[in-house]
Amino acid sequence: MVESIELIKETMPNSFEEFQALGLAKDGIYKRLEFAIQCILDICSQIAHEQEMVSFGYKDLVNNLAENGIISSELKEKLFFLVDLREILIYNYDLMSDEIAFRNVPEYIEYIEAFLKEAPWRRDLIRTR
């Protein structure tokens, strides 16, 4: 996940025109973003599994973690957004606007880094069975 974020940061050009001209490399940025989000959701799923939480979808999973005090409500909102972004990247890729993505990639990265900073996988934040 961290490697994907670093690669995105290194690859992002300074202008939208350059971003649009990246071609296949631009698709790689999107794929790395999708991968980083999936890593977050896999970590959340593992935490929920360890806590014997039952979830019916990723938003339900994130909500359960917030309700149980494992992640903050602020992080919950960011993860809700990332779940929606993941869905677009996987299932509705044609809806991605390169212009919006270029403008918002720093915000997407900030949301992922917020997850890393909050460190919900720390054992002292997780109730034990």
Side-chain angles (χ1 to χ4, degrees):
M1 173 179 10
V2 173
E3 180 182 346
S4 289
I5 295 306
E6 292 306 316
L7 284 170
I8 292 170
K9 287 179 182 179
E10 291 170 12
T11 307
M12 283 301 291
N14 293 321
S15 73
F16 170 65
E17 291 74 24
E18 289 175 281
F19 180 70
Q20 205 169 26
L22 285 176
L24 194 55
K26 179 185 62 175
D27 292 340
I29 289 171
Y30 289 145
K31 191 50 89 173
R32 287 290 185 157
L33 185 59
E34 174 195 323
F35 175 77
I37 295 167
Q38 187 60 54
C39 287
I40 288 172
L41 297 173
D42 290 347
I43 291 167
C44 289
S45 293
Q46 182 61 36
I47 293 167
H49 176 76
E50 290 173 5
Q51 298 304 304
E52 298 178 351
M53 293 179 197
V54 176
S55 302
F56 302 101
Y58 286 126
K59 285 192 175 180
D60 189 40
L61 167 69
V62 169
N63 194 56
N64 285 339
L65 293 175
E67 285 181 358
N68 285 279
I70 295 172
I71 63 170
S72 67
S73 59
E74 182 180 319
L75 183 58
K76 175 183 111 173
E77 295 306 316
K78 290 175 180 179
L79 293 182
F80 274 2
F81 175 82
L82 291 176
V83 166
D84 289 340
L85 179 59
R86 176 192 167 275
E87 296 298 309
I88 291 170
L89 288 167
I90 293 174
Y91 301 112
N92 295 67
Y93 188 73
D94 58 322
L95 297 178
M96 280 300 291
S97 162
D98 289 342
E99 189 172 356
I100 292 170
F102 174 76
R103 194 173 54 240
N104 293 333
V105 161
E107 182 180 9
Y108 307 155
I109 290 171
E110 185 272 320
Y111 286 7
I112 293 166
E113 289 174 337
F115 176 81
L116 292 170
K117 286 176 188 162
E118 194 164 308
W121 54 86
R122 286 185 21 213
R123 293 289 173 208
D124 61 322
L125 296 177
I126 302 172
R127 291 179 288 135
T128 56
R129 290 190 247 191

